[in-house]
Amino acid sequence: MSHTAHIPSHRKPRRNAPKTALRAGVAGGVLSTIAVAGAAGPAQAEPVTQTIEMPTITAGLSTAVAASAQATQQVAQDLQTQAQEDAAAATAAKTAKKAKAEAVRKAEAKKKAEAAAKAKAEAAERASRTAARTTLSATSGSSAGSAVASASSSSSSSATGSAASVISFVKAQVGDAYVSGGTGPNSWDCSGLVQAAFRSVGVDLPRVSQAQSTAGTQVSLSNLQPGDILYWGGAGSAYHVGVYVGGGEFVGAQNSSTGVVQRPLSYDPPSGAVRVL
């Protein structure tokens, strides 16, 4: 055989690329196993000096974290706002309650003051009437008493027409309360009762006793007729009025203690009379 003759090679053919990749995978698996085993090893093992790179936060994750933080902040702001509103509401309620209590206190104080003023005015009115009666009694002496007695004995107790209606009206109010400024239907002052009685028959009288004492023709107490208006004090300055009902008696709203009463003229002798009917 020639030395140049071709001698077949006994080398094995070169492995292809897939086998090389397989080897690399096996090597990677071995390294992974070694790494796991090292992590599970005892605490006395040598520290790992290799730096492990943390995963990179993606843009989507960053946006989600930011949104979550913003939502948390909004919730905190909402809670703070609600707390402020609750505190304001509680303060307002407390203020309103205090204001209501103060208003009630002032109303009660005003009511007491008005009641005291009314009682004082009534006491002053009673005192004024008492003083006027004392003065009248001192100046007129027995002449007034004689006139009243004469009226009681000579006046007729019967009445007709409008006078009878006036008398019927005032007698129907006997027992009602006396209230200063009262004009009915269940409480009266003296001039309010007289005015209402004459209004029932179509006669309009002034409201106050001073004017009522000059509203008609002056008549003497010895010549009284049922339906005449009696007054106490001077004509034009009278402090009290009533209605003569005949039989030596009159009806009048006297005071807060007695109310509307029917009494004999001797009970409270009048100082004069006027005739309207």
Side-chain angles (χ1 to χ4, degrees):
M1 179 178 292
S2 173
H3 65 279
T4 60
H6 177 74
I7 299 175
S9 175
H10 296 285
R11 294 180 180 178
K12 294 181 180 181
R14 182 174 295 179
R15 298 179 183 274
N16 53 22
K19 291 183 178 180
T20 303
L22 179 61
R23 289 178 180 177
V26 171
V30 172
L31 292 175
S32 299
T33 302
I34 293 173
V36 172
Q44 294 79 9
E46 292 296 326
V48 177
T49 59
Q50 184 179 359
T51 301
I52 301 175
E53 184 177 357
M54 297 298 293
T56 302
I57 299 177
T58 64
L61 180 59
S62 176
T63 301
V65 171
S68 177
Q70 184 177 3
T72 301
Q73 184 178 7
Q74 184 63 44
V75 170
Q77 291 177 350
D78 292 344
L79 291 176
Q80 184 179 7
T81 301
Q82 184 63 43
Q84 292 174 347
E85 291 177 353
D86 291 344
T91 301
K94 184 177 180 181
T95 302
K97 183 177 180 180
K98 184 177 180 181
K100 182 179 180 181
E102 181 66 13
V104 170
R105 185 190 67 79
K106 288 183 178 180
E108 291 178 350
K110 182 179 179 182
K111 185 176 180 181
K112 290 180 180 179
E114 290 176 348
K118 182 178 179 181
K120 184 177 180 180
E122 290 178 351
E125 183 180 0
R126 289 194 296 269
S128 177
R129 288 184 180 181
T130 300
R133 288 168 185 169
T134 300
T135 301
L136 180 63
S137 176
T139 56
S140 60
S142 60
S143 59
S146 299
V148 169
S150 176
S152 300
S153 60
S154 62
S155 298
S156 172
S157 60
S158 62
T160 59
S162 296
S165 297
V166 169
I167 293 170
S168 177
F169 184 94
V170 294
K171 284 186 175 182
Q173 315 313 316
V174 172
D176 283 355
Y178 173 92
V179 175
S180 180
T183 57
N186 299 312
S187 60
W188 314 84
D189 65 10
C190 62
S191 57
L193 176 62
V194 172
Q195 184 187 48
F198 281 85
R199 182 181 294 159
S200 69
V201 294
V203 176
D204 289 327
L205 292 178
R207 172 66 181 86
V208 296
S209 58
Q210 292 89 340
Q212 289 178 3
S213 65
T214 59
T217 302
Q218 295 287 328
V219 296
S220 67
L221 296 178
S222 60
N223 192 32
L224 291 177
Q225 292 182 5
D228 287 346
I229 298 174
L230 304 175
Y231 62 84
W232 285 254
S237 60
Y239 59 84
H240 184 55
V241 289
V243 175
Y244 182 64
V245 296
E249 295 188 340
F250 72 94
V251 171
Q254 292 300 98
N255 53 58
S256 57
S257 299
T258 62
V260 179
V261 296
Q262 180 173 342
R263 293 285 190 269
L265 294 176
S266 58
Y267 169 79
D268 188 8
S271 54
V274 291
R275 186 166 297 155
V276 178
L277 300 176

